[in-house]
Amino acid sequence: MVIAAYQGSDCVGLALAAQRKTPSSTGCKIKQLWLHRSGEQAIDQVWIEHNDFLVQRDNKAQIRLAMFEYLYAQKTLWQELYFGLAESSVIDTLTAKSTFYREVISSPDFEVDLLNKSHLNDYLADLSKNTRSQIRRTEKLLSQTGDLILALAENDTQKKQFLHDIAQLHKEKWRNTEFGSGFDNPIFERFHQQLIFEEKETNKTRIYCLMLDKKPMAYIYILIHDKTWYFYLSAMKSHHDNRVKVGLLAHAYIIQQAISEGVAKYSFLAGEARYKRSLSNQPEASQKLICFYQPTLFMRTREFVRSAKSVLKNLLRH
């Protein structure tokens, strides 16, 4: 479905909603709507964050609310309506309109404010003494064994090589986990190939490599929008010395580059990770995926059973 909002003859809001029917434990199929997602793991592995209606900057909150209220009122189209991952402040304005929802995912979100930073030391001063020490110790230990440089893939040949290396390292780390590596998923891989190698250069992506004596140690892939750099994924080579924190140093070097280019914010996006918490200089925020459901007897009973199972599972775990 395409949802469009107009002010007079001007389009001020757009969204895509995927419709699907999914089987329930009772055998009945549940009608679902997913905002900018399909509801299928393989297709959604790209993992959209800050997932909101596409609205113009002026009157953003009012347009979003009008679009949500319109979609929410289409009772025949859905029994479950999925919205997110989106900033908790956005989600809160929507859940205020309905008591019939459940929180599917809530994930911390970490950011680095780079406004008024003119040098890396200005940023490091915001971090804990321990984090600063780890970054500086890593730089010192590695510099004693060779030359450290941060390299940017600047042409298609370099991008292909960096992406190939990232894929291999990513598969090694994530292939045997619950959802596996996205690089084993042709849908995921095709999406990023198209984004990185667009015919028209848009500078939406960058791939950096931290090198020691021209040998790759860490790759970081970022997305760019306006004055914000978003960390999407990384691929690291292990180091024999546990004092060496390659990831911390790689992010610090990229943040230094961001400062030099006048970037306002470096976002680590959603996901609980100690390094994200350590490198952030902003209060922890969150992003949420919410499922609204119709208050019919069947759906309310289904949600009650779901909640009871969750409570029981937690009791058995403890």
Side-chain angles (χ1 to χ4, degrees), residues 9 48 59 72-73 79 94 98 156 170 177 263 278 297 305 315:
S9 59
I48 301 173
N59 302 318
Y72 191 83
Q79 292 166 285
L94 306 184
S98 172
D156 284 356
H170 202 271
T177 60
V263 173
S278 297
L297 178 60
V305 171
L315 288 172

Side-chain angles (χ1 to χ4, degrees), residues 72-109:
Y72 191 83
Q74 308 306 306
K75 305 295 187 182
T76 60
L77 296 180
W78 60 273
Q79 292 166 285
E80 291 183 332
L81 170 60
Y82 287 84
F83 193 104
L85 286 173
E87 296 171 34
S88 56
S89 58
V90 170
I91 294 294
D92 290 347
T93 63
L94 306 184
T95 55
K97 296 296 178 179
S98 172
T99 57
F100 302 104
Y101 67 89
R102 72 173 182 277
E103 192 175 279
V104 182
I105 297 172
S106 180
S107 177
D109 190 352

Side-chain angles (χ1 to χ4, degrees), residues 80 102 293 298-308:
E80 291 183 332
R102 72 173 182 277
Y293 60 88
F298 171 71
M299 292 302 294
R300 293 175 74 170
T301 302
R302 187 167 181 264
E303 290 302 318
F304 175 80
V305 171
R306 185 196 302 274
S307 178

Side-chain angles (χ1 to χ4, degrees), residues 25 47 129 154 173 185 247 255 263 274 293 298 305 313:
S25 57
W47 201 245
K129 182 179 178 181
E154 296 185 289
K173 182 173 183 179
N185 178 350
I255 287 170
V263 173
R274 187 168 65 180
Y293 60 88
F298 171 71
V305 171
K313 186 183 292 185

Side-chain angles (χ1 to χ4, degrees), residues 26-232:
T26 63
C28 298
K29 289 191 173 182
I30 308 297
K31 291 190 293 184
Q32 298 177 336
L33 279 183
W34 291 76
L35 180 68
H36 302 143
R37 292 163 64 93
S38 71
E40 297 180 29
Q41 166 60 23
I43 298 174
D44 294 337
Q45 196 169 11
V46 170
W47 201 245
I48 301 173
E49 298 184 29
H50 297 285
N51 186 18
D52 193 359
F53 297 122
L54 305 176
V55 297
Q56 70 170 24
R57 294 181 186 274
D58 296 336
N59 302 318
K60 194 169 185 176
Q62 293 92 330
I63 298 167
R64 176 192 298 118
L65 193 56
M67 292 179 72
F68 173 75
E69 288 176 340
Y70 171 81
L71 198 56
Y72 191 83
Q74 308 306 306
K75 305 295 187 182
T76 60
L77 296 180
W78 60 273
Q79 292 166 285
E80 291 183 332
L81 170 60
Y82 287 84
F83 193 104
L85 286 173
E87 296 171 34
S88 56
S89 58
V90 170
I91 294 294
D92 290 347
T93 63
L94 306 184
T95 55
K97 296 296 178 179
S98 172
T99 57
F100 302 104
Y101 67 89
R102 72 173 182 277
E103 192 175 279
V104 182
I105 297 172
S106 180
S107 177
D109 190 352
F110 300 100
E111 294 181 346
V112 178
D113 179 9
L114 296 178
L115 289 174
N116 303 316
K117 309 293 185 192
S118 57
H119 190 272
L120 180 63
N121 286 335
D122 297 334
Y123 157 66
L124 293 179
D126 292 340
L127 308 183
S128 71
K129 182 179 178 181
N130 182 51
T131 301
R132 290 198 302 272
S133 174
Q134 288 180 327
I135 292 171
R136 286 167 176 159
R137 182 173 61 220
T138 296
E139 185 176 42
K140 181 180 179 180
L141 290 171
L142 292 178
S143 296
Q144 289 171 350
T145 63
D147 294 327
L148 275 170
I149 63 165
L150 182 68
L152 171 66
E154 296 185 289
N155 55 52
D156 284 356
T157 300
Q158 291 175 325
K159 290 176 183 178
K160 286 175 183 176
Q161 183 60 57
F162 282 15
L163 200 56
H164 174 269
D165 293 349
I166 288 172
Q168 297 310 306
L169 291 168
H170 202 271
K171 289 174 185 178
E172 288 175 16
K173 182 173 183 179
W174 299 105
R175 175 171 279 169
N176 296 320
T177 60
E178 181 182 2
F179 298 119
S181 168
F183 291 99
D184 282 321
N185 178 350
I187 298 170
F188 176 96
E189 193 161 36
R190 184 167 61 249
F191 173 84
H192 289 291
Q193 289 279 348
Q194 291 173 342
L195 191 63
I196 293 167
F197 299 105
E198 282 186 317
E199 290 184 13
K200 183 180 178 182
E201 182 61 46
T202 58
N203 296 317
K204 292 176 183 172
T205 65
R206 288 193 190 183
I207 306 176
Y208 284 100
C209 179
L210 180 65
M211 294 185 174
L212 181 64
D213 275 350
K214 299 183 179 180
K215 294 179 180 178
M217 297 194 69
Y219 295 93
I220 291 183
Y221 171 32
I222 64 172
L223 308 176
I224 297 175
H225 179 65
D226 289 339
K227 288 284 189 176
T228 301
W229 287 10
Y230 297 90
F231 162 57
Y232 185 77

